[in-house]
């Protein structure tokens, strides 16, 4: 009986991809300053589609830039988000996918 009920509802949803999880992270934490479309500048943050994992990690965790990186803006408004440490790969996957769509 339970199997019939599940099949009637379409069954369980497939697991989310890293990019899908990253989109949730982005929309929950980043869109306040960055644009909902990471290819475009936000109210306070620059476009970040296609940002490298190293850049995302350094900015999110420590507010620093990787060696040799030139910042797109000279503001210092961003705050560290260490609670996202385990979601950096998902966030980077979303930013990479967003860059491909542009």
């Amino acid at each position: 009986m339970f199997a019939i009920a599940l099949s009637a509802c379409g069954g369980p949803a497939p697991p989310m991809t890293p990019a899908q999880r990253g989109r949730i992270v982005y929309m929950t934490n980043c869109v306040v300053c960055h644009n909902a479309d990471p290819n475009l500048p936000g109210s306070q943050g620059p476009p970040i589609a296609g940002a490298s994992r190293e850049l995302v990690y350094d900015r999110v965790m420590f507010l620093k830039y990787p060696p040799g990186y030139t910042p797109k803006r000279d503001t210092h408004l961003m705050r560290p988000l260490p609670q996202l440490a385990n979601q950096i790969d998902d966030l980077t996957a979303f930013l990479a996918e967003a860059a491909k769509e542009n």
Side-chain angles (χ1 to χ4, degrees):
M1 182 79 149
F2 181 70
I4 294 170
L6 267 180
S7 66
C9 295
M16 286 194 290
T17 66
Q20 289 169 327
R21 290 190 305 265
R23 182 180 187 283
I24 293 169
V25 173
Y26 182 84
M27 293 300 179
T28 304
N29 298 280
C30 309
V31 78
V32 172
C33 297
H34 296 277
N35 196 300
D37 177 349
N39 290 288
L40 302 174
S43 62
Q44 298 176 33
I48 56 174
S52 70
R53 186 193 189 286
E54 182 181 23
L55 175 60
V56 173
Y57 181 81
D58 283 353
R59 291 300 293 158
V60 168
M61 298 300 295
F62 308 110
L63 300 181
K64 67 177 189 169
Y65 294 99
Y69 181 84
T70 302
K72 294 178 182 177
R73 293 190 178 177
D74 60 1
T75 60
H76 300 284
L77 299 173
M78 188 168 168
R79 298 292 170 245
L81 300 167
Q83 71 274 17
L84 301 181
N86 294 330
Q87 298 168 315
I88 298 293
D89 290 334
D90 292 340
L91 184 55
T92 304
F94 167 68
L95 295 174
E97 190 171 278
K100 290 178 191 173
E101 293 175 1
N102 190 13

